Amino acid sequence: MVLGDLVKLRAMGPPDAEALWRWNHDPDVMRWMDEDYAQPLALTVRWLEERQRNAYGDVLFGIEALADGELVGLVRLHGAEPETGCADLDIYLGEKARRSAGGAATPPTRCGRPAATASSGCGCTGSR
């Protein structure tokens, strides 16, 4: 767990599947995704049950508001290449009511280190 002023980053698991499924059916979230379609809830549950524990190459954290404990989004670092120091960083606030509302909708990277932001400038090109 990583604790910030307004949010904490915590491990995600099967109890978070419904929120993740709901976010992935939101057109405002999905328009930024590489996938063309959202998965059924059963596949989202299975993915969270079967995914490996967080490790260097794939780390998934839920963004939880400290004020009320609501899961409001996620942060995922994946596709890490130790040789280049590059990885893909996904950050999104899935709860529509929390977007542009201040509080827990402030940049989730506040609870991380600046080098962990999407603009770290690792020089990677192309898409995975």
Side-chain angles (χ1 to χ4, degrees), residues 53-69:
R53 291 178 53 100
N54 284 341
Y56 178 81
D58 190 350
V59 179
L60 174 67
F61 291 109
I63 303 170
E64 185 176 302
L66 291 178
D68 59 11

Side-chain angles (χ1 to χ4, degrees), residues 12-99:
M12 289 185 73
D16 301 313
E18 187 174 330
L20 181 57
W21 176 83
R22 187 176 61 253
W23 303 338
N24 288 339
H25 282 78
D26 180 339
D28 291 333
V29 172
M30 290 304 290
R31 75 182 190 146
W32 303 106
M33 302 295 193
D34 291 334
E35 291 82 24
D36 293 356
Y37 62 94
Q39 298 283 333
L41 179 57
L43 288 179
T44 303
V45 171
R46 187 171 358 144
W47 181 75
L48 286 169
E49 287 173 343
E50 295 177 355
R51 76 178 303 277
Q52 301 276 330
R53 291 178 53 100
N54 284 341
Y56 178 81
D58 190 350
V59 179
L60 174 67
F61 291 109
I63 303 170
E64 185 176 302
L66 291 178
D68 59 11
E70 182 181 14
L71 183 66
V72 298
L74 67 80
V75 175
R76 184 177 180 203
L77 185 71
H78 58 104
E81 300 173 0
E83 305 80 15
T84 63
C86 293
D88 292 321
L89 178 62
D90 302 334
I91 302 174
Y92 66 89
L93 295 172
E95 291 303 326
K96 191 172 280 197
R98 294 294 179 108
R99 298 180 206 151

